[in-house]
Amino acid sequence: MSTSTTSGVAAANDAAAADGTTPAKRRSIFSRAANPTPAPGYRGSKKATKLEPFTVISYLGVTIFGLFALIPLWMILAGSLTAESTLARSGYSFFPEPFSLDAYVAIFSGTAVFQGYAATLFITVVGTVLSLLATASLSWVIARRMPRISRPLTIFAYLPMLFSGGLVPLYLLVTQVLQLQNNWFAVILPHMMAPFLVFVAVSFFRQLPEEILDSAKVDGAGELRVFFEIVLPLSKPILAVIGLFYAVSYWNEWFTAMLFISDPEKYPLQLMLQNLIANVTNAAMLPGSGSVAPIYQLRLALTVVTIGPILLAYPFAQRYFVKGLTLGATKG
Amino acid sequence: MQQRMTTHKENPVDSAVPVYRAHARQSRKQRSRGSGVLLLLAAPGIAWFLIFAYAPMAGLIVAFKNFDVSKGIFNSPWSGLDNFKYFIESGDAPAIVLNTLVLNVLFLAATLGAGLALAIMLNELRARVFKKFMQSAIFFPYFVSPIVISIILQVILAGAGGHGGAVNDALGLFSLPEVSWYTEPGPWPWILTIVKVWQLGGYMSVIFLAAITSIPEDVYEAAMLDGATRARMALSITMPLLKPTAAILIVLGVGRIFYGDFGTIFAIIGDNGTLFSTTDVIDTYVFRSLRTIGDFGTTAAIGLFQSVVGFILVTAAVLIQRRYSKESSIL
């Protein structure tokens, strides 16, 4: 439905696909991603009558890489269900034998994991909502091409992609000036806006049909009303893409938490996990210890608990990620 | 500097969307009416950028100060270039700069190569369900956090109690000697590269696959009429036509070389000093010196050095990329 709209020369096309330059191109990728059936023809089913060696090699290669991607994750899952006796000997297992749920029982009988989940959920949900609101509204103002406002704002949001103050000033800002130690907002705020996603949103907003906005204004809707009641509902697909990018980065964020959160009761999941690694290393070094608690199994089970929600959301999220990637293409 | 600013004015989206000039054609009067309200809308974003992006830039003056927590950033005494001197005299500078460059070049080359190969192979697959499943599988590692990656590596490389592990057991099958991976700095650049390929191979393949999908059908049809094999088509049509995409990714990747992926390396290596000789990069060095030395001035000096070199590289990359993509779209 889409490739035919582009202007012919292939080199031009894929360059455009890579940096998202031509709007026509961008729109076409977007609509294709919304409807993931590939275009027929070469990429479809045509003339697949005889099997060529290259096709066989491709099947092989993709299968190998697929296994390469999945086996480590399988080892985590299998290991988390394997009794500590095996794990303490080899450190890994491919099949849960002997099968054991000890670690999961241990995890869910304590409160630590629930606290960790609460922290991670708070950071992810509140962070994503704040990020989306701030990103969408700033992007909309940039996209409106207001004289004397939009241009300077573009540069304003673009410069931080080129130059950053780095770790030390940020650390001083959060700890000395804002006094946010042991506060979940210390994890949220530094990542609240990603300039890259601002520009993804801007380029989407600029594709909204002007007529709808005009007719709304003729009907007497103010700028705010236009934004909240027309622009945002029309932009659901891009908001989903951007929201997912933010949500995953909040979910996986551990470094900022490590810098600013020292109270174990406030640890998000990732930081708990990191702490447990340190404990495992310590436990392994102490002679005779390690057999008391199922620490190897515990570590793997906690890992599964940490990636579980991503795994569940994945079938839904993946489509949007691919969409966002091809839309913003090369993330700098 | 001023010159660069002006070039960036058109950047990055404005110049890219000529079609929307319709927007700009609207009368100025009409648009400036709601400008107060719109500024209100932009206020949270503007405030965030001022506090979390621009204030830290100003905070970099710490690099020139003898920082004292009780006096604050602006009241601490100036120390000239002492902080920089300390960094240079410590003798660590050449090694970590070299590590940063070597590792990031390895990462870039390997992930681009893997992404390209994967995209071309995925493009060959006919079985719909299989293809979809495989695409989902290879893209998934992108979502896995650095901490989880470090646990996976420990399971594979370290085993229990510092010996064994899946890789060593596999080596044992071929009666090769066991390697104590976490005390052996030599192989780590390659291990980290493999981790990067695992993490980003699928991600890169998505970008390349998007570019492949935009290659017009008739080129392949013509080749098919001439009796080209699929291997020939991949080699002589797909690969050359992916060059601009690859070039842009390379340029952007080189631009980001000084901002190596801190999270992954730090999560994996942590404070394991025996591995520093091959894995310590600027970011990890900065963080460690912040934590262990606790000297904000010196650490900020290293950070400033990184920011300046990074800025030069990124700016050059953006300028080259704009030029390149413009040229290739004229072709």
Side-chain angles (χ1 to χ4, degrees):
Chain A
M1 77 191 275
S2 49
T3 34
S4 55
T5 58
T6 51
S7 58
V9 184
N13 284 348
D14 58 35
D19 66 357
T21 34
T22 2
K25 182 73 230 154
R26 212 185 290 120
R27 202 184 296 126
S28 71
I29 280 176
F30 199 79
S31 54
R32 185 188 318 121
N35 172 18
T37 8
Y42 168 73
R43 284 165 285 269
S45 54
K46 188 186 286 178
K47 284 200 182 173
T49 39
K50 70 173 198 270
L51 202 59
E52 290 192 29
F54 186 62
T55 313
V56 179
I57 293 173
S58 296
Y59 272 95
L60 260 173
V62 171
T63 309
I64 291 171
F65 201 93
L67 290 174
F68 171 62
L70 289 182
I71 284 177
L73 298 166
W74 169 251
M75 286 173 77
I76 297 282
L77 184 63
S80 76
L81 296 167
T82 307
E84 182 75 2
S85 54
T86 307
L87 290 178
R89 214 178 327 113
S90 62
Y92 69 97
S93 84
F94 283 104
F95 302 100
E97 255 180 11
F99 184 82
S100 146
L101 285 173
D102 290 356
Y104 288 100
V105 172
I107 285 178
F108 289 110
S109 59
T111 55
V113 160
F114 296 103
Q115 280 172 353
Y117 253 106
T120 300
L121 275 178
F122 181 89
I123 290 167
T124 306
V125 173
V126 175
T128 305
V129 170
L130 289 178
S131 291
L132 266 180
L133 279 176
T135 305
S137 49
L138 180 68
S139 308
W140 173 243
V141 178
I142 291 178
R144 286 296 314 275
R145 297 186 187 284
M146 299 289 293
R148 293 193 307 281
I149 296 177
S150 298
R151 207 22 101 62
L153 271 185
T154 309
I155 300 167
F156 182 73
Y158 188 70
L159 270 183
M161 279 170 92
L162 302 180
F163 191 86
S164 83
L167 184 62
V168 176
L170 180 72
Y171 182 82
L172 292 175
L173 173 74
V174 174
T175 57
Q176 307 292 319
V177 183
L178 302 173
Q179 305 274 359
L180 284 174
Q181 293 103 320
N182 281 324
N183 189 322
W184 289 329
F185 280 99
V187 185
I188 294 176
L189 291 175
H191 302 285
M192 209 178 92
M193 298 192 80
F196 165 70
L197 294 178
V198 170
F199 290 111
V200 169
V202 168
S203 60
F204 181 88
F205 285 149
R206 288 201 172 145
Q207 296 173 28
L208 290 176
E210 184 91 358
E211 296 79 20
I212 300 183
L213 308 179
D214 286 343
S215 64
K217 266 182 216 154
V218 170
D219 290 347
E223 289 283 354
L224 281 181
R225 199 139 168 232
V226 169
F227 176 66
F228 284 106
E229 287 179 18
I230 295 171
V231 174
L232 287 189
L234 279 178
S235 310
K236 270 184 208 145
I238 197 67
L239 293 178
V241 172
I242 293 175
L244 275 165
F245 267 101
Y246 278 124
V248 167
S249 79
Y250 281 123
W251 186 274
N252 283 339
E253 185 55 49
W254 60 283
F255 175 64
T256 333
M258 185 175 74
L259 277 181
F260 301 124
I261 295 189
S262 53
D263 177 359
E265 295 206 339
K266 293 195 166 166
Y267 278 4
L269 281 176
Q270 304 285 346
L271 198 56
M272 275 178 62
L273 201 55
Q274 204 229 359
N275 231 35
L276 200 64
I277 306 176
N279 285 341
V280 170
T281 320
N282 293 341
M285 281 172 179
L286 295 171
S289 74
S291 55
V292 192
I295 193 124
Y296 286 101
Q297 196 194 357
L298 206 61
R299 176 180 65 159
L300 300 182
L302 191 58
T303 310
V304 174
V305 169
T306 310
I307 34 181
I310 298 185
L311 203 58
L312 291 180
Y314 186 59
F316 157 76
Q318 186 216 359
R319 203 158 47 100
Y320 284 106
F321 262 95
V322 170
K323 208 190 278 184
L325 252 186
T326 33
L327 188 79
T330 52
K331 180 180 168 192
Chain B
M1 182 73 188
Q2 197 52 46
Q3 193 55 41
R4 272 195 197 118
M5 292 272 299
T6 27
T7 7
H8 279 212
K9 263 191 174 172
E10 265 106 341
N11 226 21
V13 243
D14 290 23
S15 61
V17 273
V19 171
Y20 301 111
R21 289 302 172 210
H23 255 299
R25 250 180 256 134
Q26 218 179 13
S27 83
R28 292 206 153 203
K29 213 181 191 178
Q30 205 180 343
R31 343 203 84 219
S32 50
R33 216 185 294 148
S35 69
V37 185
L38 278 179
L39 269 184
L40 195 73
L41 213 51
I46 295 175
W48 183 87
F49 272 102
L50 283 178
I51 297 172
F52 286 94
Y54 287 97
M57 289 185 200
L60 273 173
I61 57 162
V62 172
F64 303 98
K65 294 222 169 188
N66 191 356
F67 182 72
D68 183 342
V69 180
S70 60
K71 288 183 189 143
I73 295 177
F74 296 99
N75 293 324
S76 294
W78 293 95
S79 67
L81 294 176
D82 282 1
N83 290 325
F84 294 89
K85 232 183 260 162
Y86 180 85
F87 171 54
I88 289 163
E89 280 168 4
S90 74
D92 297 330
I96 61 167
V97 170
L98 189 70
N99 279 343
T100 310
L101 293 178
V102 168
L103 285 177
N104 282 298
V105 168
L106 277 178
F107 295 169
L108 188 63
T111 52
L112 277 181
L116 183 65
L118 269 174
I120 288 177
M121 292 192 296
L122 278 168
N123 188 43
E124 285 299 306
L125 304 190
R126 283 299 105 74
R128 261 305 155 71
V129 179
F130 179 77
K131 181 177 175 180
K132 257 195 138 173
F133 175 78
M134 279 302 171
Q135 260 187 302
S136 307
I138 60 180
F139 193 47
F140 186 74
Y142 178 73
F143 297 89
V144 173
S145 79
I147 296 289
V148 172
I149 291 178
S150 84
I151 288 182
I152 292 173
L153 267 186
Q154 285 186 7
V155 166
I156 292 174
L157 295 178
H163 60 87
V167 171
N168 277 331
D169 288 358
L171 286 178
L173 288 181
F174 301 98
S175 31
L176 291 166
E178 196 169 280
V179 180
S180 173
W181 297 102
Y182 280 87
T183 56
E184 200 70 56
W188 277 91
W190 305 106
I191 296 174
L192 291 175
T193 307
I194 293 171
V195 168
K196 278 285 156 192
V197 168
W198 185 79
Q199 197 182 25
L200 293 178
Y203 178 94
M204 290 288 189
S205 77
V206 170
I207 296 175
F208 280 116
L209 210 51
I212 291 181
T213 334
S214 69
I215 298 174
E217 195 66 20
D218 30 2
V219 187
Y220 291 105
E221 274 162 15
M224 239 182 291
L225 287 180
D226 289 347
T229 61
R230 302 200 69 89
R232 180 91 259 165
M233 286 191 263
L235 206 69
S236 308
I237 300 175
T238 317
M239 292 268 265
L241 290 182
L242 286 180
K243 258 192 213 156
T245 309
I248 288 165
L249 288 173
I250 289 172
V251 166
L252 288 179
V254 168
R256 307 236 26 117
I257 263 183
F258 255 59
Y259 302 107
D261 180 8
F262 168 72
T264 312
I265 295 180
F266 184 74
I268 293 170
I269 307 295
D271 296 322
N272 186 347
T274 43
L275 302 183
F276 286 167
S277 62
T278 57
T279 59
D280 206 14
V281 293
I282 300 180
D283 281 311
T284 48
Y285 185 85
V286 168
F287 175 67
R288 241 194 3 268
S289 41
L290 176 67
R291 217 175 38 168
T292 54
I293 312 173
D295 180 352
F296 291 106
T298 313
T299 317
I302 309 166
L304 180 59
F305 164 71
Q306 178 187 22
S307 294
V308 169
V309 180
F311 173 74
I312 294 169
L313 287 175
V314 176
T315 312
V318 169
L319 292 178
I320 293 172
Q321 182 248 321
R322 282 167 53 91
R323 194 155 167 201
Y324 194 97
S325 54
K326 255 183 211 155
E327 273 171 8
S328 68
S329 50
I330 292 166
L331 271 174

